[in-house]
Amino acid sequence: MTRTVYRGGRIFTAATAPDAQWTHAVAIEGERIVAIGDAAEAGGGTTVDLDGALVLPGFTDAHTHLLMLGASLGQVALTDARTLDGIQELLREARAADPDALVLRGRGWLFDSVPGGAPTAAMIDAVVADVPVYLDANDYHSCWVNTAALAELGITRDTPDPLGGAIGRDADGEPNGMLFETAAVQYAWGQRDAAMTDADRDEAVERVLAAYAAAGVTGVVDMAFDEHALAAIERAIERHGGELPLRVSAHWLLENTGDLDRNLAQLDRVVELARRPASPWLRVVGIKLILDGVIDACTATMGAPYADGSNAEPIWPLADLAPIVAAADAAGLQIAMHAIGDAASDAALTAIERAIEANGDIPRRHRLEHLEYAAPGTAERMARLGVTASLQPVHADPAIFANWAAMLGDERVERAFAWPEYEEAGALVAFSTDAPTAPHSALANMYVAATRASALDPSVPAVHPHFALPLDRAIAHATRDAAASVGDADWRGRVAPGFAADLVVIDTDPFAAGTASLLTTRVTETIVAGRSVFTPTIHDVV
């Protein structure tokens, strides 16, 4: 078996002990790291000179959406268009570039880029009216459509709002082109899923595999898995000879039907998949429940009203939530709950407490996703219950913060994205991007985490810099702790003998050059299971 030694640079191990976080060499044999430091150099083998580069454990994006990200990479990107005119111009250009297309899809628009934060179908119709247009918001909790799309979806003034969602309407009760929460899921995403072919999904998977390899990401946790995604990833494994350039752990997305028996019946398929023989490339580990929406659209469930006096009902009220959490917990599934508002995180933890009371002392590691605003004491409660804080630094980017802050408009803004609270309480913290709701770049994510400044627009001043984390801790949360969040702490996520040889080499050492260098640093090699899966000139050698 070939032994390869990387030396001549610095290697961050992500060890928990501060005096063990750095080494100068790492040796790989097969799929594993066999030695580090002097022991690595003493064992012989082929030597790779790092020439001063930095080696990190491979990043694990602990909350992402693979098929959605892959599809988004082929859609009209709207985040940088900060005015309605800018959005319309991009749509006009996209339509002109592909006049034979039967649909136009875009993603990433921001509410504060639209006058009054109130998009309408007429705004899209003004530039593209001849084909359906579907534009996912930056947070992927709303979809903005044109009149042709409303017609394609069969949405009229008589169409009822679905449970946990809303169809936007004008003063006369007519649909206005906005679909919120489950209305976006059931209508816009349902249409998208029905229209996509297996070939489309395969193309999306290949895009995302290449994108993550180039970003130094060696593992992901998918948070919206379903039958389409399962089949697509299984086909990818077959295409790639039984291996992937990415380790995929998945949470199956469950819908609140409003009926207890139907809700519980959804668990049967997940239990079946979770009991499959373990694979290093694809495994279903649990379920995902979306408890509320987002603060930007005033659909997150808050303990106190928004600045406009409104509030949002939960998508999973506690009466529906508690039974499904107890049943999934009893079945040994990991439960991931989207909880952005403080009322949602309170309900999630109450459901977990009830499950513990019902099921007793069994192994469990549940998680709350996002926690953008959580009430004081939430972090301590999570630590007591062994619940992971799954957090996304890029969601706190100052370039998109103004609308978030305006929706709350009170002292709650001062505790936005309060990551240190979870560290100090002793909860496991796992960092991720929630792509495609934010850029999938691991290094940009670390920049926001370590500075609270903007990776989208570096000219925007930092917001709440006192909540920034030291770079070593930020990287550990995105590597070691992200792997631990799905139970992999004993075999990947660190540079240590016996661990998986999942590594990333970057051309600049931000510990020496400063955190600002993360915005220009480039990945020069990504290694998964001892195989080089990305270099700047070889994008996929699997």
Side-chain angles (χ1 to χ4, degrees):
M1 189 177 295
T2 303
R3 177 186 174 98
T4 303
V5 179
Y6 286 77
R7 61 180 301 278
R10 292 214 299 167
I11 299 167
F12 179 72
T13 68
T16 54
D19 61 354
Q21 286 187 337
W22 293 98
T23 190
H24 60 276
V26 57
I28 298 170
E29 288 185 13
E31 298 183 0
R32 298 282 170 178
I33 295 167
V34 294
I36 64 174
D38 292 341
E41 296 198 88
T46 302
T47 297
V48 175
D49 185 357
L50 292 168
D51 193 25
L54 178 69
V55 177
L56 304 169
F59 289 97
T60 290
D61 197 338
H63 182 128
T64 187
H65 306 272
L66 289 175
L67 281 185
M68 290 172 63
L69 173 57
S72 77
L73 294 172
Q75 295 173 354
V76 183
L78 301 172
T79 307
D80 291 339
R82 299 310 303 269
T83 64
L84 177 59
D85 286 345
I87 292 171
Q88 290 174 325
E89 181 59 28
L90 289 173
L91 297 179
R92 186 183 292 110
E93 291 174 357
R95 184 66 182 137
D98 191 3
D100 295 328
L102 300 179
V103 65
L104 178 60
R105 298 187 186 276
R107 47 90 179 179
W109 60 272
L110 300 166
F111 276 93
D112 57 4
S113 298
V114 181
T120 66
M123 294 174 181
I124 305 175
D125 294 343
V127 289
V128 182
D130 59 326
V131 296
V133 178
Y134 296 88
L135 308 178
D136 285 313
N138 190 60
D139 53 38
Y140 277 75
H141 280 253
S142 304
C143 189
W144 176 16
V145 303
N146 68 348
T147 300
L150 288 171
E152 180 174 61
L153 297 172
I155 294 176
T156 70
R157 66 179 296 123
D158 298 321
T159 305
D161 291 341
L163 178 67
I167 297 167
R169 304 176 194 273
D170 64 20
D172 295 325
E174 296 291 340
N176 67 4
M178 279 303 299
L179 303 173
F180 297 98
E181 300 300 337
T182 59
V185 174
Q186 292 183 21
Y187 289 103
W189 294 6
Q191 190 281 336
R192 176 202 64 195
D193 290 345
M196 284 185 76
T197 66
D198 284 349
D200 294 330
R201 294 186 182 93
D202 292 345
E203 183 179 352
V205 169
E206 292 304 319
R207 281 197 206 103
V208 81
L209 292 178
Y212 268 134
V217 175
T218 59
V220 296
V221 185
D222 189 288
M223 281 292 172
F225 223 57
D226 59 12
E227 297 290 353
H228 292 304
L230 174 65
I233 299 299
E234 288 178 335
R235 289 194 300 271
I237 293 172
E238 184 176 354
R239 283 196 306 275
H240 288 263
E243 300 174 325
L244 288 178
L246 190 68
R247 304 185 191 275
V248 180
S249 303
H251 282 255
W252 204 265
L253 181 62
L254 266 57
E255 173 192 0
N256 183 14
T257 67
D259 179 88
L260 176 59
D261 291 337
R262 289 173 63 195
N263 286 349
L264 291 173
Q266 296 178 74
L267 287 178
D268 295 341
R269 177 61 167 155
V270 190
V271 171
E272 173 194 344
L273 293 169
R275 289 176 178 170
R276 286 184 175 183
S279 162
W281 307 113
L282 172 62
R283 59 196 172 126
V284 174
V285 297
I287 61 171
K288 164 77 174 300
L289 306 171
I290 300 176
L291 305 196
D292 68 342
V294 293
I295 289 171
D296 302 82
C298 298
T299 55
T301 308
M302 308 301 297
Y306 289 93
D308 65 2
S310 70
N311 207 336
E313 293 297 319
I315 297 171
W316 281 86
L318 186 58
D320 296 336
L321 178 65
I324 202 79
V325 169
D329 179 72
L333 298 174
Q334 185 179 55
I335 304 162
M337 288 180 272
H338 167 116
I340 282 183
D342 55 330
S345 55
D346 177 70
L349 295 176
T350 298
I352 291 172
E353 288 167 344
R354 293 183 184 180
I356 292 171
E357 182 178 356
N359 299 328
D361 187 16
I362 59 176
R364 57 172 63 86
R365 167 61 77 180
H366 303 316
R367 26 188 308 161
L368 298 192
E369 311 299 316
H370 311 311
L371 294 160
E372 293 187 4
Y373 176 78
T378 300
E380 291 77 9
R381 191 176 173 195
M382 290 175 63
R384 288 195 302 271
L385 296 171
V387 175
T388 297
S390 173
L391 310 173
Q392 296 73 42
V394 279
H395 283 178
D397 192 298
I400 58 174
F401 185 72
N403 182 72
W404 190 102
M407 296 304 99
L408 293 183
D410 57 25
E411 68 277 359
R412 289 174 292 182
V413 174
E414 298 310 312
R415 293 189 55 258
F417 305 93
W419 312 320
E421 291 185 5
Y422 302 95
E423 284 190 337
E424 292 163 6
L428 180 69
V429 173
F431 275 165
S432 60
T433 68
D434 194 18
T437 74
H440 66 277
S441 168
L443 297 177
N445 201 25
M446 294 299 91
Y447 175 76
V448 179
T451 64
R452 295 296 285 248
S454 177
L456 294 172
D457 183 354
S459 69
V460 177
V463 173
H464 301 343
H466 56 287
F467 286 152
L469 299 180
L471 184 58
D472 59 338
R473 288 174 13 213
I475 291 175
H477 292 325
T479 55
R480 178 194 70 210
D481 298 335
S485 74
V486 285
D488 295 346
D490 60 348
W491 69 276
R492 68 183 184 94
R494 293 193 285 124
V495 179
F499 273 56
D502 297 352
L503 306 170
V504 56
V505 184
I506 58 178
D507 64 3
T508 304
D509 180 351
F511 292 96
T515 52
S517 68
L518 287 163
L519 296 179
T520 55
T521 294
R522 297 291 177 263
V523 172
T524 59
E525 186 174 16
T526 302
I527 301 164
V528 178
R531 296 173 288 116
S532 181
V533 300
F534 172 82
T535 69
T537 56
I538 304 173
H539 288 257
D540 188 358
V541 296
V542 175

